[in-house]
Amino acid sequence: MSDTPPESPDFDAMTRDIAEVPAVEVIVTVAVNLMSAAAVKLGLSEEGEKYKDLDEARKLITGLAGLLDASATEISSFHAAPLRDGLKSLQLAFREASIVPDEPGQGPGEKYTGPVYG
């Protein structure tokens, strides 16, 4: 074992780094991470069924829908449109993966997006 303490993170440098990132980039990055996590929980990854968890997918899709709804006017349609398309694809995939599909308007995130039809 070494007597030297582990290096602590440089919080000042981390703060400077995050300060340089535009808000739009942060929002889009979070949205893409939510989309990716939801896709995995829907069983859409390479290992499919191994990580499938529709309850978790519902939460992630609803969080994504809320984020996009709240930030749409802030991030411009250039960024929002493809994210909305991705959200709709996830909502449709959720409907297809469900044994008993939700009624239109009751699926994940649909309180923010309105009913999603295939």
Side-chain angles (χ1 to χ4, degrees):
M1 294 196 100
S2 172
D3 290 332
T4 59
E7 288 189 37
S8 61
D10 184 356
F11 291 111
D12 290 336
M14 290 168 61
T15 301
R16 277 192 306 277
D17 290 346
I18 201 78
E20 294 172 8
V21 179
V24 170
E25 264 188 63
V26 174
I27 293 167
V28 169
T29 300
V30 169
V32 169
N33 284 329
L34 287 167
M35 292 173 91
S36 298
V40 169
K41 296 296 184 176
L42 284 170
L44 302 176
S45 65
E46 281 186 28
E47 299 190 37
E49 294 295 316
K50 181 177 178 182
Y51 301 110
K52 189 173 182 177
D53 184 335
L54 295 183
D55 184 50
E56 290 288 301
R58 177 183 293 277
K59 293 171 189 171
L60 292 162
I61 294 168
T62 299
L64 173 63
L67 174 65
L68 294 181
D69 183 55
S71 62
T73 58
E74 302 297 327
I75 64 173
S76 80
S77 59
F78 175 78
H79 295 289
L83 294 173
R84 279 194 213 105
D85 290 344
L87 171 60
K88 183 176 181 181
S89 294
L90 290 169
Q91 289 171 313
L92 291 171
F94 184 92
R95 188 173 299 282
E96 289 177 18
S98 298
I99 295 170
V100 179
D102 297 315
E103 293 293 320
Q106 301 301 309
E110 290 183 16
K111 72 179 181 180
Y112 299 107
T113 63
V116 175
Y117 301 99

